[in-house]
Amino acid sequence: MAVDGFGRRIDYLRISVTDRCNLRCVYCMPPDGVPWKDPATVLSFEEIERFAAAAVAEGISKIRLTGGEPLVRKGIVGHIERLRAMTGIEAIALTTNATLLPKMAKDLHAAGLERVNISLDSLDPEVYAKVTRGGKLADALAGIDAAFDAGMHPVKINVVVVRALDQDLVSFARLTMDRPIHIRFIEYMPVGGEGEQTVGGACSSESSAGDWTIEDHVPSDEILTQLNAACLAAGLGELAPVPRDEAPGGWGPASYYRLPGALGTIGIISPLSHHFCGECNRLRLTADGKLRMCLFSDNELDARAVLREGSADDVRALIRAALAAKPESHQMRVGTVRRMSQIGG
Ligand code: SAM
């Protein structure tokens, strides 16, 4: 079992398999994207698998693949199959924008992918196109259907709530009525853009990720109060808390609610307003092989160098060093050097 310096059990590893993405979400990337990492600096699947094996030996049992967009990396299905086959891995999950799921979901599920988190910030085609800078809502919706058809479970939808986007949250709540979809509203986080010029809110037409402002951050208590009022006004009834043991099995810190008669649930994730560092259970490996101990801290260990020059024991020692260096809590610092697309969320 892996335990960090503050007694927290760390059993969850998020691996970014690429910094490349087929969308350009306004709060995640600048309009022209970010320069892609030199492929020579990106970990090969073989290197990631060696890292995962070392992590499992140190007590990691859950792996989530993320990106960039993980499904744009060639060979991802075979990679998932090999990770899933490792003794000690309980489950593999994926965070994706879902646009490639229509053609990949069946193969991914057959390879051992059970859990999928789909990022979707609006159910209005125009707002979706604006947020993703050109994405088609129909592709993401087809991806959700494909995940269900392939038998994935649970299917969760991540919605980042940004004030300037004026999102219709009730439209998401409605989705939970007829299918076991789990919507999670996530507070907009101040990641990326450190040292870059800021020109206003990330969602104004001229600006880009890194222009995080407190005005765009909607605290989770406000999200919940407004959503509840809007659900009542729409005749959907009142949100009731879901007891922890009935909540959709999660590896993270969402609080769950349910509308009367709904098959799915609504979760709220508040990394800033009610930070949950005391329950933090994860490490992150970036596509270029840096081991991050905290989403909000640029303090990283060079796993790539150890994977390329060291032994399996050296990799395990690095993971133990990361556990020892994991901070007790995040610093609420606005901005990190890496953008979210270069960390993986
Ligand atoms: N491309 C995949 C996707 O769309 O899910 C995986 C990578 S994406 C960086 C992972 C998650 O980070 C997405 O759910 C995205 O909405 C979220 N994200 C990106 N920037 C964010 C921010 N500033 N605050 C909160 N969530 C953010």
Side-chain angles (χ1 to χ4, degrees):
M1 183 166 91
V3 176
D4 75 359
F6 297 94
R8 293 170 295 198
R9 183 176 174 192
I10 310 296
D11 60 0
Y12 174 21
L13 174 65
R14 296 177 67 103
I15 300 175
S16 174
V17 295
T18 179
D19 58 324
R20 300 184 183 219
C21 191
N22 55 350
L23 297 178
R24 295 281 178 280
C25 296
V26 288
Y27 51 73
C28 195
M29 275 199 200
D32 303 326
V34 277
W36 302 135
K37 299 271 175 206
D38 173 354
T41 68
V42 172
L43 295 184
S44 67
F45 284 140
E46 186 272 330
E47 287 167 337
I48 296 176
E49 287 155 26
R50 270 197 287 125
F51 185 89
V56 169
E58 288 300 322
I60 294 291
S61 55
K62 302 161 182 168
I63 290 183
R64 174 175 300 281
L65 300 183
T66 175
E69 172 49 47
L71 298 185
V72 302
R73 182 151 178 190
K74 280 204 182 77
I76 188 76
V77 173
H79 181 52
I80 287 176
E81 194 164 13
R82 292 187 294 277
L83 289 173
R84 186 68 190 90
M86 276 180 193
T87 308
I89 293 285
E90 266 171 35
I92 302 281
L94 178 80
T95 296
T96 173
N97 60 38
T99 55
L100 296 173
L101 279 180
K103 60 176 186 190
M104 297 178 74
K106 280 207 172 73
D107 289 346
L108 289 164
H109 188 255
L113 180 72
E114 292 115 30
R115 315 169 65 92
V116 66
N117 286 12
I118 292 173
S119 307
L120 178 60
D121 298 323
S122 176
L123 292 168
D124 176 316
E126 280 176 26
V127 178
Y128 181 83
K130 182 181 155 205
V131 176
T132 56
R133 294 202 183 91
K136 292 197 181 76
L137 176 65
D139 293 344
L141 296 179
I144 297 174
D145 291 344
F148 275 107
D149 291 348
M152 291 183 191
H153 175 79
V155 175
K156 298 182 180 176
I157 311 280
N158 289 350
V159 184
V160 179
V161 180
V162 182
R163 201 178 300 279
L165 294 179
D166 198 18
Q167 292 142 299
D168 175 8
L169 303 190
V170 177
S171 62
F172 285 104
R174 277 204 182 88
L175 288 186
T176 66
M177 297 307 296
D178 305 324
R179 282 204 284 191
I181 286 189
H182 306 289
I183 305 289
R184 289 117 51 80
F185 294 112
I186 302 176
E187 287 180 358
Y188 180 33
M189 294 180 253
V191 172
E194 165 105 314
E196 295 169 20
Q197 202 182 1
T198 56
V199 292
C203 300
S204 74
S205 55
E206 295 303 316
S207 58
S208 65
D211 300 336
W212 189 93
T213 67
I214 192 72
E215 286 78 32
D216 270 337
H217 174 257
V218 187
S220 60
D221 291 349
E222 185 181 330
I223 298 174
L224 189 58
T225 308
Q226 285 190 358
L227 179 67
N228 205 22
C231 285
L232 279 168
L236 292 171
E238 189 161 14
L239 290 167
V242 176
R244 241 187 141 91
D245 55 345
E246 290 170 30
W251 304 345
S255 318
Y256 284 97
Y257 300 82
R258 195 189 294 275
L259 285 168
L263 296 181
T265 61
I266 296 171
I268 309 276
I269 302 182
S270 43
L272 293 193
S273 63
H274 298 286
H275 77 77
F276 34 76
C277 305
E279 296 164 47
C280 190
N281 58 352
R282 61 198 65 187
L283 293 174
R284 293 176 164 83
L285 182 67
T286 66
D288 58 346
K290 301 297 151 105
L291 186 53
R292 264 177 104 90
M293 284 70 82
C294 172
L295 176 60
F296 295 99
S297 166
D298 288 311
N299 185 20
E300 300 174 339
L301 297 179
D302 192 352
R304 187 180 71 217
V306 179
L307 281 163
R308 292 189 178 171
E309 289 151 30
S311 65
D313 281 347
D314 293 336
V315 180
R316 288 185 62 171
L318 186 84
I319 293 167
R320 288 196 295 274
L323 292 171
K326 198 169 155 59
E328 185 171 20
S329 70
H330 67 66
Q331 301 301 311
M332 294 282 288
R333 195 161 61 90
V334 174
T336 50
V337 171
R338 283 178 189 267
R339 295 174 179 283
M340 203 67 113
S341 64
Q342 298 168 321
I343 303 173

